């Protein structure tokens, strides 16, 4: 029988019971549509308690929507957006950022998904030259697509540079909770306090059902927000069902517990798998993703029991994602299977 | 205390318990993301049982998304889309259809929200003339924004005309269930069998939490669908939670029960309100919307107890929507209050 | 032999010799590309002498480009643009305004191409309501597509209303010269001084080869202009050849002579044709267009000698445009032919 | 006195007398607008004589327009376009390709502006994966932005690879004439016969006033062309004035004479400048561009006499473009000045 558990993605996991309960609890009576309701106000209060009282927070349906609508409020169509060549907005959104903002995306080299000032700097050029897309945004991902992390200092270095050049810093935080927990800091330490201007604050990959949040730290960017969200088809009518999920995530540190658990599972997986001869952990394991180079011959059999994706076929590198619901048992079974297959 | 029930919109209602239960039931273990899962396959089977085995069905987040992604798969940017001047795509989507398809929308007169061949015909012109946006789609809404219905014959007349002219027929069916129940026919009788090519099959306004479905009846329109859905930010990662809602709606006739109830409540409301001197029901009441012209002076007090929207301030016309969870008690209290205020 | 003269459009005419001479004269040596040249500066000076010292003027390739780039600098994608149902931007630009601005166009009834405050007013609604495209621009055409004119007072009435509502007034002046001459006023009297914010100042239909000019009367709209022009593919590299055409038009009143002549030819044509039994001039003849209802049976033979377009087949209405190079001889031959065919 | 000659760009040059004469000659009587005229038919015949009888050829206003409208006819918005990191469509069109096609541009490393199969290959991935922009076009530039050339074999290698992968090959031929002459082959040998599917055939940089041509070699790409051209604001009303320029370019080998001359001037310039101590020619000189690393201290004085652009400030590399009107005298004066300044 096919195992329905695996390491394919943290979005293959189910919804955390506390979040499900919050959804059930709010399911009574009427609520004004489109966000003008008590649940949404309560969620926003929780978010402000976490990130600061003067920020703006808006809910949308999904991660691509959060990134794109966030970027759209920061750009005009003749701008360019600099990001890692491996960024979700560059690789995994089917061109939605270009289509919806009209902007040019400029991918830069990024070892293990992290970009540096040195990689960004050469692309800050052609300023005021109408033939050239005008650099406007640098977008970084925390945790990165490789499960690696920017330190607070690294983010600060980038934000200082970006602001010095008159640009804005966007962060794709689909896994911001994993990052904060791994670094042992509050989420605001690696976002607002480190100079991030706009953040995609992800819920879905941390135990939610659907819904992401866009946080604007820099004032003055949201004047047209409500129109762009609606025009981009990201305004939920029964908003309360998104809002309560974020309220739940920010209640009793659920965001932290979920992220902490999935991070720990990644460490365990990396440790156990790394000890198996023939397996090489290929990237630093800092959040909830484990990358490994494994013998090609075992991939198919392994995937049949625990599904996961091949990252780079040319070097037989695979990606294993852990999630809030990954168990030690999962890890043990999985690594035992690897060991067995390699005997 | 503020009453949290009212007649503002069928999207202010909560989620039907059977749908909530389906969501709870599917919340176990992992499921492959983005729709390649058992739940989605099961939901698709249910939909095909209802609408025909050879159709294509895809889930998206919301109604605007369903309309726009559906239209995008039928159009190129130089096309035009003819619709009622009161259509949701014309009035209530903040220009998302134009922005995302690039097409021109051509609003035509529509008494009580219904357009006719006579209203459409003058706009089928400029064919092959590159200066003129090329007519490509006629879009109708069933039930309309005024709670009125097209009969099967009326839809057939439009679809015959539309196809004869080489165009396609789109239907915004945000309230298709209400329409089918009111007309006493299966949903396919007023969609596929009446010549509709693409349908937005609404769930949210009929008791679901979120999620709508796009049905393609005409073959050959979906080659690029998956890319357009993703690029338009309408692809849910944890798709199962949308799919099971549609499965539930199509199980034990839940869609019919919900729509039938809200329709009946609209009839009751229209009957009781219509008997109050000073209240005039201003549109035919055929689905779950009641429009009435009421004395301006009572609106504010009335809204405080039962919220609803003013439709046309210039004539003091209001809109009252009923939903699956509207009770006879709600109606009685509401109409009694009206009567009291008018004494 | 096929006559190569006719009344199809003022853009079928050749280039006026004085404009051609200006092109020839500037054809020596090098000039910096993209508008940073002496010729363009000189043309801009001429334009400012005509319209005011504090205006901004930019050249583009063609009329559709001028309209669209002008509108783009006044709008965000969630805005709407209200215009006559017969406006060029609505009927004849293949959806370029929607595609490039993302905005919704709202066509309103317009007798003989002229819109009124009464027709505009009902569409100024849904303000601050994110579901509704936000009204931002009213666009009028002077002279209209029917060859009719707005008086100074009529424009002022519209601009006062538009500004009072917080919107902006755009004018498509593809035939602004014809309008000014017919009204006996300077061009600025019916544009800037009457409250127009942005004008498409047409050259091509008044004897130029190619090139139109966008004039911004209202300050603060051009911050991003240069990027939008380039991104919209409307920035000419060898700009001098456009600039000198506008300089020539504004030298020795060439614009006035050309427009005056074509207007006079329209009057002559209307007078002579109107006297022929069976011919009915169907619109006021105020600029350089003559609309007439003529017997269908003569259209084909007439077109073979002097080409023109049928405007409304259903009532056998045709459009005859005169231009700077229309001769009295043309008119006499044409009207004699009509008379002969109707004998 | 400021010298009005220089080496800034081949678009700073004036219009060749034979082209100007063709414009003057066609300036008589009326011509049907928008391309349905004798002049345009004659030009198309000339183009077919050069490139093949079964091709489609369309005129637009400028090079960016030609690139973008060509690409738009080959793509849907979820596609990607692979090009050199130095390509005009990547660097110099202010994001027009992204804005108008909606596609993602993927810049690849390109020594001296030339891309290779090895550079392209890694980006042909994610096929059928809806999260990833689908690779559709490879675009190369001939002659490149560095004045270098692809040989026939190099183009053939790329086109074979591109077609084998199911993609299409686009060529930006703003300087295609320079390339053909330099390689000593007909233009069709390095375009159609080498596997190019769509070509921007440039006129402006080879002595024309304005106007470029899009050639479709692969059948089946132009069904929607006329609408896309109009919607993109690239349809000229008085088309004859563009058409006759191309007719002139293809008459008595004018295209070849102009390109041959400018190429020869580049060789002369490279030879003379290269002999001056302190000057290093930094790129192969194969068409009409010369790149050189020169002492920073002389740049300003040099530019005052003969204007040109700095290419890469960080290494003091400059770009000198020659054109059809560059004279030996220009070269001698310029190089003498360099030598003098370096004394």
């Amino acid at each position: 029988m096919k195992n329905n558990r695996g390491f394919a993605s943290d979005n293959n996991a189910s919804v955390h019971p506390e979040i499900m309960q919050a959804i059930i609890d709010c399911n009574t009576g009427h609520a004004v549509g489109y966000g003008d309701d008590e649940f949404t106000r309560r969620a926003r209060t929780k978010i402000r308690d976490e990130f600061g009282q003067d920020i703006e927070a808006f809910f949308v349906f999904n991660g691509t929507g959060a990134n794109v609508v966030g970027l759209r409020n920061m750009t005009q169509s003749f701008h360019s957006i600099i990001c890692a060549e491996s960024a979700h907005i560059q690789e995994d959104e089917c061109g939605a950022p270009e289509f919806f903002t009209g902007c040019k995306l400029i991918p830069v080299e990024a070892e293990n998904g992290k970009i540096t000032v040195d990689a960004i700097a050469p692309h800050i050029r052609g300023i005021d030259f109408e033939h050239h897309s005008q650099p406007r945004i640098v977008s970084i991902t925390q945790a990165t697509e490789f499960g690696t992390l920017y330190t607070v200092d690294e983010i600060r270095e980038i934000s200082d540079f970006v602001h010095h050049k008159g640009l804005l810093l966007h962060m794709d935080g689909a896994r911001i909770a994993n990052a904060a927990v791994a670094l042992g800091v509050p989420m605001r330490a690696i976002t607002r306090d480190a100079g991030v201007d706009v953040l995609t604050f992800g819920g879905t990959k941390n135990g939610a059902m659907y819904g992401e949040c866009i946080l604007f730290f820099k004032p003055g960017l949201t004047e047209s927000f409500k129109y762009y969200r609606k025009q981009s088809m990201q305004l939920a009518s029964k908003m309360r069902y998104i809002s309560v999920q974020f309220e739940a995530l920010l209640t009793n540190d659920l965001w932290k517990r979920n992220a902490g658990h999935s991070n720990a599972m990644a460490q365990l997986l990396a440790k156990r798998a790394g000890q198996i001869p023939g397996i090489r952990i290929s990237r630093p394991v800092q959040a909830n993703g484990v990358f490994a180079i494994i013998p090609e011959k075992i991939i198919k059999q392994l995937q049949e029991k625990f599904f996961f994706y091949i990252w780079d076929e040319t070097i037989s590198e695979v990606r294993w994602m852990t999630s809030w619901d990954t168990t030690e048992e999962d890890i043990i079974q999985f690594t035992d299977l690897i060991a067995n297959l390699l005997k």
Side-chain angles (χ1 to χ4, degrees), chain A residues 50-51 142-143 149-150 175-191 255-256 259-260 263 286-287:
Chain A
E50 193 71 34
F51 288 96
Q142 173 84 319
L149 300 175
Y150 292 90
R175 296 184 182 100
I176 188 69
N178 299 91
V181 171
L183 291 166
V185 296
M187 285 190 283
R188 68 176 281 170
I190 48 173
T191 56
W255 69 271
K256 222 184 265 188
N263 288 354
Q286 300 175 332

Side-chain angles (χ1 to χ4, degrees), chain A residues 201-223:
Chain A
F201 171 24
T204 310
K205 289 186 162 112
N206 199 25
M209 187 185 290
Y210 67 110
E212 307 275 298
C213 187
I214 311 174
L215 300 189
F216 291 87
F217 302 128
K218 184 188 167 75
L221 294 174
T222 59
E223 197 193 349

Side-chain angles (χ1 to χ4, degrees), chain A residues 3-49:
Chain A
N3 191 341
N4 88 341
R5 303 180 63 83
F7 303 93
S9 174
D10 28 13
N11 66 31
N12 285 14
S14 58
V15 176
H16 190 277
E18 294 176 32
I19 292 174
M20 187 60 87
Q21 195 56 50
I23 289 174
I24 292 166
D25 291 345
C26 83
N27 193 38
T28 173
H30 284 196
V32 176
Y34 305 110
D36 187 15
D37 63 81
E38 273 315 305
F39 307 97
T40 302
R41 274 184 284 276
R42 270 165 31 199
R44 211 182 291 125
T45 298
K46 284 274 187 191
I47 292 168
R48 287 188 168 144
D49 289 346

Side-chain angles (χ1 to χ4, degrees), chain A residues 293-328:
Chain A
I293 293 173
I294 71 174
E296 203 220 312
K297 61 180 179 185
I298 68 164
I299 291 179
K300 208 149 196 177
Q301 281 171 281
L302 209 48
Q303 282 175 324
E304 270 165 28
K305 283 283 187 187
F306 295 88
F307 192 65
F308 57 85
Y309 292 101
I310 298 171
W311 188 263
D312 184 345
E313 230 165 337
T314 64
I315 56 170
S316 199
E317 186 180 37
V318 300
R319 184 188 78 159
W320 299 323
M321 297 304 298
T322 56
S323 58
W324 71 267
D325 72 345
T326 302
T327 63
E328 287 194 28

Side-chain angles (χ1 to χ4, degrees), chain A residues 177-281:
Chain A
N178 299 91
V181 171
L183 291 166
V185 296
M187 285 190 283
R188 68 176 281 170
I190 48 173
T191 56
R192 178 211 182 103
D193 293 352
V196 171
D197 295 301
V198 175
L199 170 71
T200 290
F201 171 24
T204 310
K205 289 186 162 112
N206 199 25
M209 187 185 290
Y210 67 110
E212 307 275 298
C213 187
I214 311 174
L215 300 189
F216 291 87
F217 302 128
K218 184 188 167 75
L221 294 174
T222 59
E223 197 193 349
S224 303
F225 179 85
K226 66 179 180 178
Y227 303 110
Y228 284 135
R229 176 170 62 174
K230 175 61 196 174
Q231 193 178 45
S232 65
M233 310 174 279
Q234 286 286 320
L235 176 61
S237 57
K238 295 183 171 178
M239 184 73 90
R240 59 173 142 170
Y241 299 95
I242 295 180
S243 306
V244 295
Q245 298 183 61
F246 275 85
E247 193 187 16
L249 274 171
L250 293 168
T251 297
N252 296 329
D253 281 346
L254 178 59
W255 69 271
K256 222 184 265 188
R257 286 181 278 137
N258 281 351
H261 177 79
S262 62
N263 288 354
M265 290 301 101
Q267 291 298 334
L268 182 63
L269 173 51
K271 189 181 155 201
R272 286 184 59 97
Q275 290 165 347
I276 302 170
I279 303 295
R280 183 163 72 77
I281 304 302

Side-chain angles (χ1 to χ4, degrees), chain A residues 49-277:
Chain A
D49 289 346
E50 193 71 34
F51 288 96
Q53 292 308 314
D54 53 350
I55 66 158
E56 300 284 346
F58 302 99
F59 298 113
V60 295
F61 282 116
N62 66 348
T64 297
N67 284 336
V68 170
V69 178
L71 291 169
R72 182 140 171 84
N73 280 275
M74 308 165 84
T75 52
Q76 291 180 273
S77 64
F78 53 82
H79 287 143
S80 62
I81 297 165
I82 298 167
C83 63
E85 59 191 359
S86 53
H88 201 265
I89 59 172
Q90 169 69 6
E91 279 293 297
D92 300 305
E93 300 187 351
C94 201
E98 282 94 341
F99 185 87
F100 202 74
T101 67
C103 294
K104 176 181 288 298
L105 263 68
I106 299 180
V108 302
E109 267 192 75
E111 206 189 334
N112 291 325
K114 292 169 61 181
I115 58 177
T116 60
V117 167
D118 283 351
I120 299 165
H123 295 283
I124 315 286
R125 59 186 161 80
I127 308 303
D128 286 338
F129 182 56
E130 72 211 79
H131 300 260
H132 195 72
S133 294
Q134 296 295 295
R136 172 72 174 156
I137 306 285
V138 169
S139 178
I140 60 177
T141 310
Q142 173 84 319
T144 74
E145 287 72 15
F146 288 99
T148 56
L149 300 175
Y150 292 90
T151 64
V152 170
D153 285 350
E154 286 170 338
I155 298 168
R156 171 55 66 192
E157 192 192 347
I158 292 173
S159 72
D160 281 349
F161 176 77
V162 161
H163 295 148
H164 175 70
K165 292 292 183 181
L167 281 69
L168 297 170
L169 182 59
H170 173 262
M171 181 180 278
D172 178 350
R175 296 184 182 100
I176 188 69
N178 299 91
V181 171
L183 291 166
V185 296
M187 285 190 283
R188 68 176 281 170
I190 48 173
T191 56
R192 178 211 182 103
D193 293 352
V196 171
D197 295 301
V198 175
L199 170 71
T200 290
F201 171 24
T204 310
K205 289 186 162 112
N206 199 25
M209 187 185 290
Y210 67 110
E212 307 275 298
C213 187
I214 311 174
L215 300 189
F216 291 87
F217 302 128
K218 184 188 167 75
L221 294 174
T222 59
E223 197 193 349
S224 303
F225 179 85
K226 66 179 180 178
Y227 303 110
Y228 284 135
R229 176 170 62 174
K230 175 61 196 174
Q231 193 178 45
S232 65
M233 310 174 279
Q234 286 286 320
L235 176 61
S237 57
K238 295 183 171 178
M239 184 73 90
R240 59 173 142 170
Y241 299 95
I242 295 180
S243 306
V244 295
Q245 298 183 61
F246 275 85
E247 193 187 16
L249 274 171
L250 293 168
T251 297
N252 296 329
D253 281 346
L254 178 59
W255 69 271
K256 222 184 265 188
R257 286 181 278 137
N258 281 351
H261 177 79
S262 62
N263 288 354
M265 290 301 101
Q267 291 298 334
L268 182 63
L269 173 51
K271 189 181 155 201
R272 286 184 59 97
Q275 290 165 347
I276 302 170

